[in-house]
Amino acid sequence: MPPKKQVVEEKIQLGRPGNNLKIGVVGLPNVGKSTFFNAITSSSVPAENYPFCTIEPEESRVAVPDDRLDWLFTLYTSKKVPAFLTIIDIAGLVKGASEGHGLGNAFLSHISAVDGIFHVVRAFDDPDVVHVDDEVNPGRDLETIHNELRLKDTAMLNKYIDANARNIERMGSGGTVDDKKRKEEFAIVTKVRDWVVAGNDVRKGNWSNREVDVINAQPLLTSKPVTYLANVSEKDYIRKKNKYLPAIKKWIDENNPGDKLIPFSGVFETALAALSGDAAAAAQFLESKGAVSAFPKIITLGYDQLHLMHFFTAGEVEVRAWTCRKGVKMTEAARCIHNDIADSLIQVDVMKFDDLKAAGSEADLRAAGKLHIRGKDAIIEDGDIVYFRSGMGRAKK
């Protein structure tokens, strides 16, 4: 008898499930958070030179660049609709925010409402821009933010433990199925608390699926993925050299290895954003500076760190990039478009982007036998061009 096929448990991701996810812009006051937000979203949030300029979070959507969508637009010559990433500008944190200093608890609650973090750190010298600690020291600034997030997580976890410890102790070693579940959950929360108290971010732990389920029920700040953005001077950005970057990279490698660091210049991006309505002037500006915007890379990386991807629908009316989580089934992808399509989904026609581009047209792709028919439980892949066939009548294309 052949051995039974081993079932591999699918790893659950940290974070809330869903496709409409948000990234918060976090950092100390006056490091360039609002300047970054204003430029990347072409909005007009105040960016004055004083702490706590941003009090209530500002929110905006930015289009996610994708060359595949641009190519599909040229093929179908219809309306083009990109995918979007939601970015929130959160007011600056200061040391002691976890205890309510500055505008602390309000800021931390705003962070708990997002799914990922753009951590902006100051890497430029300017005597006219006040630093909340009087001097530029990126390593200290990074440590301040991460300590405050960990302290807040510790306080939240301790609150849960203090509220449940006596009841768990009364249960003893026996109890009902529900009692055992509660004791297991209590043990997991205690384990996570000890991990955070030891100076670790929750997102860096190796957790089982059951542990991830419990963690996801808690609004833990250090469970969110982080991308570090170093705000450098325009001069340093153009010449690709900055005296603070090695220290920032060293801190990341020692404290959160694997996290990404992207340098950008708030001054450069602001000047470029001011030309957003004039493509020729923007191109001339970039050519004169000998540099390109860092924003496409930042947006794409932020999208990726939330485990999001694109699939496409294409036809005479429009070509559209849809957002879904990586690894979802066709049914869940269809739900991004309409619940009725997902609930009555029968099968899906799938074209691989590379196959379509090589063929040059849908007709030639079909003639080459490259049109794939997939069931509703198949996994959708990044870049798939799909036609959902459902029982609701006309399928979405």
Side-chain angles (χ1 to χ4, degrees):
M1 177 181 290
K4 290 184 178 180
K5 185 176 180 180
Q6 188 173 5
V7 177
V8 179
E9 184 180 32
E10 184 179 348
K11 187 70 173 176
I12 299 176
Q13 299 171 349
L14 284 172
R16 65 187 178 96
N19 306 307
N20 185 25
L21 305 184
K22 303 176 181 181
I23 287 189
V25 184
V26 172
L28 292 176
N30 290 354
V31 298
K33 298 183 310 301
S34 292
T35 299
F36 166 81
F37 180 84
N38 289 346
I40 201 168
T41 63
S42 297
S43 65
S44 55
V45 179
E48 283 82 5
N49 171 27
Y50 57 88
F52 315 124
C53 171
T54 305
I55 297 176
E56 293 300 322
E58 298 286 343
E59 179 175 324
S60 187
R61 297 196 312 161
V62 296
V64 180
D66 194 316
D67 292 339
R68 298 170 301 184
L69 180 65
D70 296 336
W71 185 87
L72 288 171
F73 174 66
T74 62
L75 178 66
Y76 288 92
T77 61
S78 53
K79 179 182 176 182
K80 179 172 67 173
V81 184
F84 291 92
L85 177 67
T86 300
I87 299 179
I88 299 177
D89 181 23
I90 297 173
L93 287 171
V94 295
K95 189 173 182 179
S98 60
E99 299 172 352
H101 294 181
L103 299 176
N105 287 325
F107 296 171
L108 294 166
S109 69
H110 296 155
I111 298 173
S112 70
V114 302
D115 303 283
I117 293 173
F118 282 149
H119 185 160
V120 179
V121 59
R122 178 170 171 173
F124 65 90
D125 295 313
D126 188 338
D128 294 328
V129 179
V130 178
H131 191 288
V132 70
D133 290 322
D134 297 325
E135 64 174 351
V136 178
N137 185 332
R140 177 204 58 210
D141 295 351
L142 288 164
E143 197 65 35
T144 295
I145 296 297
H146 279 271
N147 278 343
E148 293 305 319
L149 299 184
R150 283 194 290 264
L151 286 170
K152 189 63 176 179
D153 278 356
T154 300
M156 285 190 288
L157 293 165
N158 278 335
K159 184 177 180 180
Y160 172 94
I161 291 169
D162 293 343
N164 291 277
R166 182 167 294 183
N167 288 335
I168 296 298
E169 186 177 351
R170 287 173 180 167
M171 292 177 188
S173 58
T176 65
V177 172
D178 187 58
D179 289 341
K180 291 178 180 178
K181 183 178 179 180
R182 290 175 61 191
K183 285 190 286 186
E184 180 188 29
E185 182 175 307
F186 184 84
I188 291 171
V189 171
T190 303
K191 177 181 177 181
V192 175
R193 189 275 314 272
D194 293 344
W195 172 263
V196 176
V197 167
N200 305 299
D201 284 0
V202 173
R203 63 198 175 90
K204 294 300 182 179
N206 183 21
W207 311 109
S208 69
N209 280 354
R210 174 60 181 141
E211 289 168 338
V212 171
D213 278 336
V214 173
I215 291 170
N216 284 346
Q218 310 289 331
L220 299 177
L221 308 182
T222 65
S223 67
K224 305 175 189 300
V226 178
T227 298
Y228 296 91
L229 306 178
N231 187 10
V232 304
S233 68
E234 183 178 42
K235 178 181 176 181
D236 285 356
Y237 181 72
I238 292 171
R239 68 177 184 162
K240 296 181 173 64
K241 188 176 182 180
N242 175 272
K243 65 181 181 181
Y244 294 113
L245 288 179
I248 297 172
K249 182 68 166 62
K250 182 173 183 290
W251 187 94
I252 294 171
D253 290 343
E254 290 177 352
N255 292 273
N256 288 304
D259 286 355
K260 303 296 184 183
L261 168 65
I262 303 178
F264 80 100
S265 168
V267 173
F268 176 89
E269 299 292 354
T270 298
L272 180 59
L275 303 172
S276 59
D278 189 335
Q284 185 177 8
F285 172 82
L286 293 175
E287 184 177 359
S288 69
K289 298 294 186 180
V292 297
S293 173
F295 285 170
K297 182 177 181 180
I298 291 171
I299 294 169
T300 302
L301 186 58
Y303 194 80
D304 185 65
Q305 76 167 2
L306 293 178
H307 307 290
L308 300 174
M309 70 173 201
H310 296 158
F311 67 91
F312 303 101
T313 54
E316 296 178 358
V317 176
E318 67 176 22
V319 292
R320 181 186 288 258
W322 300 87
T323 297
C324 70
R325 296 296 288 266
K326 294 178 180 177
V328 302
K329 295 179 179 179
M330 291 291 180
T331 304
E332 291 309 307
R335 201 170 300 282
C336 300
I337 299 174
H338 200 287
N339 284 337
D340 290 345
I341 296 176
D343 292 340
S344 59
L345 187 63
I346 299 171
Q347 68 178 38
V348 186
D349 297 353
V350 180
M351 296 184 289
K352 297 297 181 182
F353 176 81
D354 289 341
D355 290 343
L356 179 59
K357 189 172 183 180
S361 70
E362 277 194 38
D364 290 336
L365 178 138
R366 290 172 182 272
K370 294 294 182 70
L371 178 67
H372 307 285
I373 308 299
R374 297 286 183 261
K376 61 183 181 180
D377 290 329
I379 302 297
I380 195 166
E381 297 180 356
D382 184 51
D384 280 353
I385 305 153
V386 298
Y387 185 105
F388 293 115
R389 298 187 180 276
S390 74
M392 65 175 287
R394 185 179 179 184
K396 178 74 179 181
K397 184 174 181 179

